[in-house]
Amino acid sequence: MKQQKRQLDGQPEPTKSELEILQVLWQKGPSTVRTVNDTLNEEMRDVNYTSTLKLMQIMLDKGLLLRAIEGKNHIYRPAEQQEIMQTRVIKGLATLAFGGSPASLVMRVLGNGDTSPEELEEIKRMIEQLEKQK
Amino acid sequence: MKQQKRQLDGQPEPTKSELEILQVLWQKGPSTVRTVNDTLNEEMRDVNYTSTLKLMQIMLDKGLLLRAIEGKNHIYRPAEQQEIMQTRVIKGLATLAFGGSPASLVMRVLGNGDTSPEELEEIKRMIEQLEKQK
DNA sequence: ATATAACTAAGAAAAAATTCGTAGGAAATT
DNA sequence: AATTTCCTACGAATTTTTTCTTAGTTATAT
């Protein structure tokens, strides 16, 4: 009777390991545990297959993932769009470390210097777009 | 022989609760545990005094905080500048949820719509500054 | 001087997150 | 049909993070 806690109160907040898995799924689209696990091991760090499996089952339980059953395999996919989830975790971090101000978070990233000139241009264009819509 | 782990390998990554405490210290400057705890209780959530104390001691241990002893009281302050630490945690999140691209993180925040026109202007000015420096 | 209040220290408990081991079933291979 | 391989399920152990309890010290006030 505690299993569904996250589903009920507010939106589910993925943990760090959960974010890693979500990122793989966003990249590759719906995938089996095997695929996710292989990707994690290639691109990030050593994880045991059953650890990934267990975590994905927990995420299913929390409502972070959905799955379809195809024969013997299970195919998982994120329950939320990447955009929505990214926005959610950013807001969480802004609250925690930036006095709740996403804008100051942006300033910090930009001030940090590893944004390329092309990216800066792109961001500027986006701002101009936003200002037009106003 | 495990206590100093974080100090040795890489930079210390604050946990969520630790970030809350850092945020108070960044806001108010060097403070006693009492002050930090009161602030947490007023502005964020209920925490027991000794919980805050314990956590700050752990943070001292990890090298996240420094302290000066004044008579009976201990005055804590962040070991790192706010800018540095914020940059660090942002990069962590970018790695975890944005494919390592801080710029796409910025786009996500801006696209999200709760940045005020004034803030947008400010960000745009900042970008122009950055482009000049180039 | 005694009591009260405010502080630190530190171990332990509790909660949350992560990893692992084992069991069992289905499919493929020999 | 037996063996090997690959999968899921799931409890349990581990690790990390957070909270709390108790003890002891110092200052302050009565």
Side-chain angles (χ1 to χ4, degrees):
Chain A
M1 285 305 102
K2 131 120 82 78
Q3 174 192 26
Q4 300 233 8
K5 188 169 152 244
R6 299 221 180 206
Q7 216 121 305
L8 299 174
D9 56 24
Q11 312 293 7
E13 281 270 347
T15 65
K16 294 188 177 191
S17 304
E18 288 170 349
L19 270 177
E20 284 182 339
I21 287 173
L22 284 173
Q23 195 162 204
V24 172
L25 291 173
W26 289 329
Q27 257 178 44
K28 305 220 161 179
S31 309
T32 62
V33 175
R34 175 63 56 193
T35 303
V36 171
N37 187 248
D38 287 352
T39 308
L40 288 179
N41 280 290
E42 281 159 26
E43 301 183 3
M44 312 195 162
R45 68 205 171 83
D46 280 7
V47 210
N48 199 303
Y49 174 84
T50 55
S51 299
T52 302
L53 169 64
K54 179 65 167 186
L55 201 35
M56 289 175 75
Q57 288 171 341
I58 290 172
M59 292 171 77
L60 179 69
D61 207 60
K62 284 186 186 174
L64 285 169
L65 298 183
L66 302 173
R67 84 175 165 194
I69 296 179
E70 281 191 13
K72 134 171 129 170
N73 292 20
H74 295 184
I75 314 242
Y76 290 83
R77 67 178 190 283
E80 293 277 15
Q81 286 185 316
Q82 181 177 30
E83 293 74 29
I84 293 177
M85 193 53 94
Q86 287 181 336
T87 300
R88 190 174 301 159
V89 297
I90 280 274
K91 282 190 179 179
L93 186 66
T95 304
L96 230 45
F98 290 83
S101 158
S104 78
L105 187 154
V106 168
M107 305 278 284
R108 180 68 61 231
V109 174
L110 295 179
N112 180 41
D114 47 34
T115 315
S116 74
E118 292 75 21
E119 289 170 326
L120 286 180
E121 266 313 307
E122 201 180 344
I123 292 167
K124 206 161 73 174
R125 275 198 303 278
M126 180 169 197
I127 292 176
E128 276 151 13
Q129 274 301 320
L130 290 168
E131 289 180 330
K132 244 177 241 165
Q133 290 174 20
K134 214 18 221 314
Chain B
M1 278 307 102
K2 136 121 83 77
Q3 177 192 20
Q4 300 235 10
K5 189 169 152 245
R6 298 219 180 207
Q7 218 122 304
L8 298 175
D9 57 23
Q11 310 295 7
E13 280 271 346
T15 66
K16 294 187 179 194
S17 304
E18 289 171 348
L19 270 178
E20 285 182 338
I21 287 173
L22 283 173
Q23 196 163 201
V24 171
L25 291 173
W26 288 331
Q27 258 177 44
K28 305 221 162 180
S31 309
T32 62
V33 176
R34 176 63 57 192
T35 302
V36 172
N37 186 249
D38 286 353
T39 307
L40 288 178
N41 280 291
E42 280 159 27
E43 300 184 3
M44 312 192 160
R45 65 203 174 84
D46 280 8
V47 210
N48 199 304
Y49 174 85
T50 54
S51 298
T52 302
L53 169 63
K54 178 66 167 186
L55 201 35
M56 289 175 74
Q57 287 170 342
I58 290 172
M59 292 171 76
L60 180 69
D61 207 59
K62 283 186 187 174
L64 285 169
L65 298 184
L66 302 174
R67 83 175 165 194
I69 296 179
E70 282 191 11
K72 136 170 127 169
N73 292 21
H74 295 184
I75 314 244
Y76 291 83
R77 67 177 192 281
E80 292 278 15
Q81 285 186 318
Q82 180 177 30
E83 293 75 31
I84 292 178
M85 193 52 96
Q86 286 181 335
T87 299
R88 190 175 299 160
V89 297
I90 281 273
K91 282 191 177 175
L93 186 66
T95 304
L96 230 45
F98 289 83
S101 158
S104 79
L105 186 154
V106 168
M107 306 278 283
R108 180 69 61 233
V109 174
L110 295 179
N112 179 41
D114 48 36
T115 315
S116 72
E118 292 76 22
E119 289 169 328
L120 286 180
E121 267 312 307
E122 200 181 344
I123 292 168
K124 208 163 70 175
R125 274 198 304 276
M126 181 170 197
I127 292 177
E128 277 151 13
Q129 274 300 322
L130 290 168
E131 289 180 331
K132 243 177 244 162
Q133 291 174 19
K134 211 26 215 316

